[in-house]
Amino acid sequence: MTKIAVMTSGGDAPGMNAAIRAVVRSGLHYGFEVYGVFFGYKGLVEGNIRKLNRYDVSRIIKRGGTVLGSARLPEFKEEKVQQQAVNHLKELEIEGLIVIGGDGTYRGALSLHEMGIPTIGLPGTIDNDIASTDYTIGFYSALQTVVESIDRLRDTSMSHKRCSVVEVMGRSCGDLSLYAGIAGGSEFIITPETGFGKKITLEGIKESYDSGKRHAIVVVTEKMIDIEAFSKEIEDYTGYETRATILGHVQRGGDPVAFDRVLATEMGEFAVELIKEGKSGKAVGLDGKKLVAYEIEEALKQKIEIPNKRYGIVGRLK
Ligand code: ADP
Ligand code: F6P
């Protein structure tokens, strides 16, 4: 095998560039020609694929986003669309593909593997919602951004004796909210894992208000509740003037923190080694301090454990 390709897919995440750089540099080191697929599965289907050299990835280790671009292409679930991607790879004689993305991206990678393209998946998403790795590339960088935002919200909340309700990304995974809530010293954390106990949360906030606390921070995972409406309920029930803040896509941008740069670099190099050994259909993960490779199929079936049960009681940080 002489040619391999790398691509990023799904929501971008800080550290994806560091992974791309590692794949390119270690691929070249092992004697491969390395190609970049631009804009995820969309680019793969359209044949938007270009050869990369070591200078194409200079200085990107510290940059957020993805220089290859990303996309969501729901049609990639269809076999005839996947076949177009396979055809482009075969035309270019690319015999190994490394995809960086979340679980949706992994499902696409599994299809390509089943269609005979040696494919390896790297976990790249801010959500940390892939059970086969302790941490995904991008999680700690987004976490830092969320914590900095909570710190800022606290400054203004306590100045006005207000409650602040903050909506954090994560799709259906509460890790980003949970870790940010803990690191930001928030009073209440509501995640898909804890569930939303409205009454107990309102009572807890009222208790804070009545005890004279100058602020309360409530962290909520996206898609769970309407935080504008809930803020109004908090005002009515507790007496706290309340503001709702949806952090949104700010959380996905910015330079990767050192942890993500290291994780992405090690995982990128590991993926190239797996391809070199003739492996396919594998998902790379971090297990403690060790990199591991699961069957993608198995990785997709694994269930995420709730990180710390102490924080899991109906939305109330104990
Ligand atoms: P993420 O990879 O971050 O989970 P998505 O769920 O949007 O993000 O998935 C990224 C892309 O992976 C989708 O836009 C689609 O092109 C592809 N994909 C998702 N699910 C499947 C599937 N079941 N089969 C094949 N491809 C899929
Ligand atoms: O998967 C990453 C993520 O940022 C999720 O946290 C969020 O639900 C989703 O992507 C947002 O997607 P989009 O960028 O397409 O709006």
Side-chain angles (χ1 to χ4, degrees):
M1 190 195 295
T2 56
K3 295 182 185 177
I4 61 171
V6 58
M7 58 172 258
T8 48
S9 163
D12 63 286
M16 280 184 162
N17 281 327
I20 294 166
R21 171 182 174 274
V23 170
V24 172
R25 295 261 165 104
S26 52
L28 295 173
H29 170 79
Y30 287 122
F32 293 111
E33 277 181 28
V34 186
Y35 287 72
V37 178
F38 289 80
F39 300 103
Y41 289 123
K42 186 169 186 291
L44 200 56
V45 168
E46 291 169 353
N48 192 353
I49 305 170
R50 183 165 64 75
K51 193 168 157 185
L52 300 173
N53 65 43
R54 62 178 294 109
Y55 304 110
D56 286 321
V57 294
S58 296
R59 295 181 298 278
I60 67 169
I61 193 166
K62 75 168 291 294
R63 282 174 57 192
T66 158
V67 292
L68 291 178
S70 194
R72 301 196 201 267
L73 181 72
E75 299 85 349
F76 200 69
K77 289 175 190 151
E78 297 162 30
E79 199 181 324
K80 67 171 196 304
V81 180
Q82 294 166 358
Q83 191 57 55
Q84 287 173 265
V86 170
N87 293 346
H88 285 301
L89 290 168
K90 289 203 167 146
E91 273 160 30
L92 286 166
E93 297 175 329
I94 291 169
E95 292 175 282
L97 178 67
I98 294 166
V99 299
I100 308 162
D103 58 346
T105 300
Y106 275 17
R107 285 177 216 284
L110 180 60
S111 299
L112 292 173
H113 158 70
E114 287 167 351
M115 293 169 88
I117 303 292
T119 307
I120 304 291
L122 294 189
T125 165
I126 64 164
D127 301 333
N128 207 37
D129 59 351
I130 298 182
S132 56
T133 186
D134 292 348
Y135 297 108
T136 54
I137 296 165
F139 172 68
Y140 266 107
S141 303
L143 175 60
Q144 189 61 33
T145 305
V146 177
V147 172
E148 282 166 17
S149 304
I150 292 175
D151 289 347
R152 287 183 165 85
L153 285 170
R154 168 165 292 101
D155 290 344
T156 169
S157 292
M158 66 168 294
S159 304
H160 289 265
K161 198 170 183 200
R162 279 177 179 162
C163 172
S164 221
V165 183
V166 194
E167 184 181 293
V168 171
M169 276 186 172
R171 265 196 187 173
S172 44
C173 176
D175 279 19
L176 202 49
S177 306
L178 178 64
Y179 283 59
I182 295 168
S186 76
E187 280 69 24
F188 303 93
I189 306 173
I190 297 161
T191 74
E193 295 82 7
T194 67
F196 176 43
K198 189 195 273 187
K199 191 152 189 293
I200 198 171
T201 309
L202 287 173
E203 278 166 4
I205 297 169
K206 187 164 173 26
E207 231 173 76
S208 294
Y209 186 78
D210 292 345
S211 72
K213 270 201 84 174
R214 279 181 55 169
H215 68 275
I217 307 278
V218 183
V219 174
V220 186
T221 307
E222 63 172 345
K223 298 182 178 73
M224 289 191 65
I225 56 170
D226 175 343
I227 66 162
E228 286 286 354
F230 185 51
S231 297
K232 180 78 182 52
E233 285 186 71
I234 293 173
E235 282 196 347
D236 294 345
Y237 190 88
T238 70
Y240 257 131
E241 200 182 350
T242 304
R243 294 288 184 270
T245 305
I246 298 173
L247 293 180
H249 287 79
V250 173
Q251 296 162 91
R252 285 229 302 256
D255 293 345
V257 296
F259 178 86
D260 278 328
R261 299 183 200 191
V262 175
L263 183 68
T265 300
E266 291 185 340
M267 284 185 163
E269 188 168 345
F270 189 60
V272 172
E273 283 164 3
L274 290 172
I275 290 269
K276 189 164 83 62
E277 290 162 13
K279 303 267 172 48
S280 177
K282 303 282 184 196
V284 173
L286 180 71
D287 181 7
K289 285 189 171 180
K290 217 172 63 233
L291 291 183
V292 289
Y294 293 98
E295 297 297 325
I296 294 182
E297 211 168 359
E298 189 197 322
L300 285 169
K301 282 186 201 145
Q302 288 182 25
K303 292 264 173 290
I304 297 171
E305 282 171 30
I306 296 175
N308 193 332
K309 286 203 161 55
R310 281 190 299 134
Y311 301 101
I313 312 298
V314 283
R316 174 81 203 266
L317 182 62
K318 291 297 245 184

